[in-house]
Amino acid sequence: MSLLVVGSVAFDSVKTSGGTADEVLGGSATYCAYAASFFGPTRIVSPVGEDMSETHLEELREHNIDVTGVRVVPGGKTLRWSGRYSDSFLERTTEDIQLNVFADYDTTLPDEYLDSEYVFLANGAPEAQRAVLEQLPDRKLAFLDTMNHWIEGSRGALDEVLGLVDGLVVNDEEARLLTGETNLLTAARRLAGFGPEIVVIKKGEHGAILVADGKPFALHAWMTEDVRDPTGAGDCFGGALMGTIAGRHDRSLATIRAGIVYGTVLASFCIEGFSLDGLRRVTMDDVERRREELLGMIRWHE
Amino acid sequence: MSLLVVGSVAFDSVKTSGGTADEVLGGSATYCAYAASFFGPTRIVSPVGEDMSETHLEELREHNIDVTGVRVVPGGKTLRWSGRYSDSFLERTTEDIQLNVFADYDTTLPDEYLDSEYVFLANGAPEAQRAVLEQLPDRKLAFLDTMNHWIEGSRGALDEVLGLVDGLVVNDEEARLLTGETNLLTAARRLAGFGPEIVVIKKGEHGAILVADGKPFALHAWMTEDVRDPTGAGDCFGGALMGTIAGRHDRSLATIRAGIVYGTVLASFCIEGFSLDGLRRVTMDDVERRREELLGMIRWHE
């Protein structure tokens, strides 16, 4: 498989009712690629500063991730995000964000990435997302994630890149912001009208909905009492979804739906710890075991 | 089957983005019994005032509901509730409530109801719920629903009746209010500790979760863009759940889970109209058809 993930590699500082983490490895591309790499080799593109440690990059390499595209910007500092969650984990407040090298970076892909067939554009500037796509004219499938910052601040550029991708993966709040619709099925159908044939709306503890070929599907999330930090769960969801498709080299509806199940599973591990802690000791056997448990939880067919 | 529903028969005035209804037939027992009666004959207990029309009672009778227990209080007025929903249907505001005859009524059951085996205590005063249970010592199964009014105002009486029932059916907000827990799985487990072996938490558009024998299950709701008035959806859910159990005369986990699927289906019809409008033209064939569609929407097993 040749799966490329584009987004941020960052340092996060997070406070939740489950504890505190200070300047730990985070970022949309980090989580997305880590989850995707359970399903096969994964490439990552992101700018980092001189403060990014080799230990972090080595950990990604050891998890089947090609970090050739993680480029150190001379004299630069890595993106930093600080935030906290309410006790219920339902509300997130950004306390500080310093884009640093992520504010504007050279999106030229390494030559060895130019044969990437599956592309996940994790959260980042739509202009950068578009610049990456334009270097991959022969790609088979591209999915995009975004967030309120770009929806509110770069809507024109976002609409352009939405017209170029096959799939959109956003959360409920972002879907409502993008469409002005509160009903999520209406929102998903409107989002499909913006270009992507495949629309996935993530709803956190409530699961996710998929609209593909005009047909709606809904998957409830894994139910757990073991939540420490939701940061990165949505990125893990997207990464595992695209990883499943790339690993099977199949973009049929059946595979997309299988990918949404795996996305739910990887997200469920992610929230069990800060940074990559929830995922670090997870094996593919663990993933399959939890997938079976999840399917048992949501099986209602007599 | 001998299924008894206890609760309110009321007049509702409702404003939603889908329209307005003025003094239409409503009430927890009305919706609950109407949904239950798709599955077999259903008995109803509620006080009404002299203003209750025979046309309404006749409509219930024609839908397989025994209204012997709907007693007219001489000189009394029927319960009235007025409320409105936000455009998203996510928030409900009670504008006025006049309990009238529902404030305090004679809960003595008609003799012909004393062999009732399945009892659904729809929303109402916990003292009245308990008084009904005490007249049915040989019942097979009793479920209870309640709301913030009683949780906040009659907690002692509510806790007592919770210790007497087999199942509890509440919404997410009520589950959190009852337990002080925000995590719904934690809340469901704590609620089971209050007495009921079977705990169902309704989550509106997101579906419902069930904890039975300590095991969690989750069902996503039917997805629809066709919402006019959510009033009564939760009561229809509970009624169809108990109707399924009573109709099959089986309280196994498999039947409870089948009942939750039917509950979701009946609730989905309920929200398509004001009062009983969404249910009036629905046949059991329609119910089975939508059930198949719902199961197709949530089937993730390859």
Side-chain angles (χ1 to χ4, degrees), chain B residues 159 161-168 190-199:
Chain B
D159 282 342
V161 71
L162 275 174
L164 302 175
V165 295
D166 308 284
L168 176 66
R190 291 232 11 229
L191 290 170
F194 294 169
E197 293 159 51
I198 301 152
V199 174

Side-chain angles (χ1 to χ4, degrees), chain A residues 127-180:
Chain A
E127 295 83 355
Q129 294 177 321
R130 182 180 179 159
V132 167
L133 282 189
E134 286 173 347
Q135 297 169 71
L136 301 167
D138 299 328
R139 66 186 182 272
K140 287 207 188 320
L141 198 70
F143 278 19
L144 177 144
D145 193 353
T146 191
M147 68 182 287
N148 49 3
H149 180 76
W150 316 108
I151 298 169
E152 287 165 341
S154 312
R155 185 58 191 265
L158 181 58
D159 282 343
E160 284 181 31
V161 71
L162 276 174
L164 301 175
V165 296
D166 307 284
L168 176 66
V169 182
V170 287
N171 70 27
D172 42 4
E173 190 192 330
E174 292 151 1
R176 288 178 171 135
L177 196 57
L178 273 162
T179 61

Side-chain angles (χ1 to χ4, degrees), chain A residues 88 183 186 189 203 206 209 216-218 220 223-225 248 257-258 291 295 297 299-302, chain B residues 182-183 186 189 203 206 209 216-218 220 223-225 248 257-258 291 295 297 299-302:
Chain A
S88 62
N183 182 298
T186 308
R189 292 193 160 134
K203 307 194 296 173
H206 300 302
I209 69 169
F217 302 96
H220 198 284
M223 281 187 286
T224 178
E225 300 182 67
R248 297 187 183 184
R257 298 176 73 223
R291 175 179 169 278
L295 293 179
M297 217 177 241
R299 191 192 297 268
W300 293 83
H301 304 78
E302 290 177 78
Chain B
T182 49
N183 181 297
T186 308
R189 291 193 160 132
K203 307 194 297 174
H206 300 302
I209 70 170
F217 301 95
H220 198 283
M223 282 187 285
T224 178
E225 300 181 67
R248 297 186 183 185
R257 298 177 73 224
R291 175 179 169 277
L295 293 178
M297 219 178 240
R299 190 192 297 267
W300 293 83
H301 303 77
E302 290 176 78

Side-chain angles (χ1 to χ4, degrees), chain A residues 6-297:
Chain A
V6 184
S8 62
V9 172
F11 287 121
D12 289 346
S13 297
V14 193
K15 290 181 210 118
T16 80
S17 57
T20 297
D22 201 37
E23 298 242 325
V24 293
L25 183 62
S28 63
T30 304
Y31 283 109
C32 184
Y34 201 90
S37 62
F38 278 87
F39 303 88
T42 301
R43 298 160 173 174
I44 188 170
V45 164
S46 185
V48 293
E50 291 184 346
D51 51 352
M52 178 52 59
S53 82
E54 177 55 29
T55 316
H56 287 322
L57 297 182
E58 186 54 30
E59 180 179 18
L60 299 182
R61 266 185 223 109
E62 284 176 4
H63 207 267
N64 218 3
I65 300 171
D66 179 344
V67 296
T68 311
V70 178
R71 293 226 188 83
V72 180
V73 177
K77 275 189 75 178
T78 299
L79 167 63
R80 272 164 176 75
W81 176 79
S82 305
R84 62 185 157 77
Y85 291 83
S86 64
D87 284 355
S88 62
F89 296 103
L90 299 178
E91 283 149 56
R92 174 160 85 171
T93 310
T94 290
E95 293 186 326
D96 188 37
I97 185 159
Q98 297 168 23
L99 289 180
N100 298 327
V101 297
F102 199 66
D104 182 27
Y105 65 100
D106 178 7
T107 52
T108 309
L109 296 176
D111 286 346
E112 54 268 55
Y113 280 15
L114 293 175
D115 64 351
S116 300
E117 293 172 305
Y118 299 92
V119 189
F120 198 99
L121 303 167
N123 179 43
E127 295 83 355
Q129 294 177 321
R130 182 180 179 159
V132 167
L133 282 189
E134 286 173 347
Q135 297 169 71
L136 301 167
D138 299 328
R139 66 186 182 272
K140 287 207 188 320
L141 198 70
F143 278 19
L144 177 144
D145 193 353
T146 191
M147 68 182 287
N148 49 3
H149 180 76
W150 316 108
I151 298 169
E152 287 165 341
S154 312
R155 185 58 191 265
L158 181 58
D159 282 343
E160 284 181 31
V161 71
L162 276 174
L164 301 175
V165 296
D166 307 284
L168 176 66
V169 182
V170 287
N171 70 27
D172 42 4
E173 190 192 330
E174 292 151 1
R176 288 178 171 135
L177 196 57
L178 273 162
T179 61
E181 300 287 349
T182 49
N183 182 298
L184 291 179
L185 184 53
T186 308
R189 292 193 160 134
R190 291 237 6 231
L191 290 170
F194 294 170
E197 294 158 50
I198 301 153
V199 175
V200 181
I201 301 179
K202 301 170 287 185
K203 307 194 296 173
E205 62 169 326
H206 300 302
I209 69 169
L210 160 69
V211 172
D213 303 332
K215 281 194 293 189
F217 302 96
L219 177 68
H220 198 284
W222 165 259
M223 281 187 286
T224 178
E225 300 182 67
D226 185 11
V227 186
R228 295 200 72 194
D229 176 16
T231 307
D235 299 309
C236 286
F237 179 100
L241 164 59
M242 190 54 110
T244 304
I245 297 168
R248 297 187 183 184
H249 213 62
D250 172 36
R251 57 175 286 178
S252 69
L253 181 56
T255 293
I256 291 165
R257 298 176 73 223
I260 287 174
V261 175
Y262 281 112
T264 300
V265 170
L266 268 295
S268 80
F269 283 116
C270 175
I271 64 178
E272 292 177 2
F274 288 92
S275 185
L276 297 175
D277 287 355
L279 298 159
R280 279 189 175 114
R281 280 173 302 276
V282 172
T283 66
M284 202 59 202
D285 280 351
D286 298 325
V287 169
E288 293 296 352
R289 202 173 304 120
R290 183 162 294 179
R291 175 179 169 278
E292 284 303 319
E293 288 173 18
L294 169 64
L295 293 179
M297 217 177 241

